[in-house]
Amino acid sequence: EDQVTQSPEALRLQEGESSSLNCSYTVSGLRGLFWYRQDPGKGPEFLFTLYSAGEEKEKERLKATLTKKESFLHITAPKPEDSATYLCAVQGGSEKLVFGKGTKLTVNP
Amino acid sequence: EAGVTQSPTHLIKTRGQQATLRCSPISGHTSVYWYQQALGLGLQFLLWYDEGEERNRGNFPPRFSGRQFPNYSSELNVNALELEDSALYLCARGGVSYNEQFFGPGTRLTVL
């Protein structure tokens, strides 16, 4: 069964303090690993898709990387508006996405 | 902009009632996915519809059902509501890249 574990559950940073979020996964036949950002009470906002080990993608202060067992979401010099819950999901042999429980990021000014 | 609308925004029901939730993907997208996000459980896959057919369903009882209409909008029905059905119900559409999914704002269902 496909599984995703995200750590830490919660992370508090000072503005400008860079850090990384971890997503460990087990899946048979990875078709894609996805990162989303979710604000309270709203739907997840798509950030990145990674397809194979070694792939990297960047968007503003965010950079996602992928290995055969885990993915990292690196946040460089975060701002308070980066505060949100970041969700990781994998897609294996079916169309459904299997999500982790997320990392709640708080960036203090 | 995710290109998915959901209605209603909030829905309050009592135990044993039925709830109907609606989702409309932007024109040109035929796949619709439903997920449940309950407190502490993360997003759980419910149903996938494509071209009017149910293609896959998650580990939910049969009282969770739905359909997709010819215009590719979709409806999720939850019968015999239970307190634990209280959750944010999210609908997603497929993307240009075949396995990407883009989510709508969700419907918050509260069962009293």
Side-chain angles (χ1 to χ4, degrees), chain B residues 17-19 36 45-47 49 54 56-67 75-82 85 89:
Chain B
Q17 285 189 314
Q18 179 197 38
Q36 180 196 67
F45 170 75
L46 264 167
L47 290 159
Y49 291 95
E54 181 181 303
N56 198 1
R57 67 179 291 132
N59 295 326
F60 282 85
R63 58 190 187 83
F64 287 83
S65 65
R67 54 180 172 166
E75 203 172 80
L76 174 69
N77 295 294
V78 188
N79 294 318
L81 284 165
E82 300 178 0
D85 296 333
Y89 288 84

Side-chain angles (χ1 to χ4, degrees), chain A residues 38-64:
Chain A
Q38 187 174 28
D39 293 306
K42 297 189 176 181
E45 175 191 342
F46 174 80
L47 293 174
F48 303 109
T49 309
L50 301 167
Y51 293 104
S52 57
E55 190 174 0
E56 299 182 353
K57 287 194 176 172
E58 285 188 70
K59 178 181 179 181
E60 296 180 353
R61 295 176 293 282
L62 301 177
K63 179 180 176 180

Side-chain angles (χ1 to χ4, degrees), chain B residues 25-41:
Chain B
I26 196 171
S27 175
H29 292 276
T30 64
S31 279
V32 168
Y33 309 84
W34 287 96
Y35 291 82
Q36 180 196 67
Q37 188 174 33
L39 265 177
L41 292 181

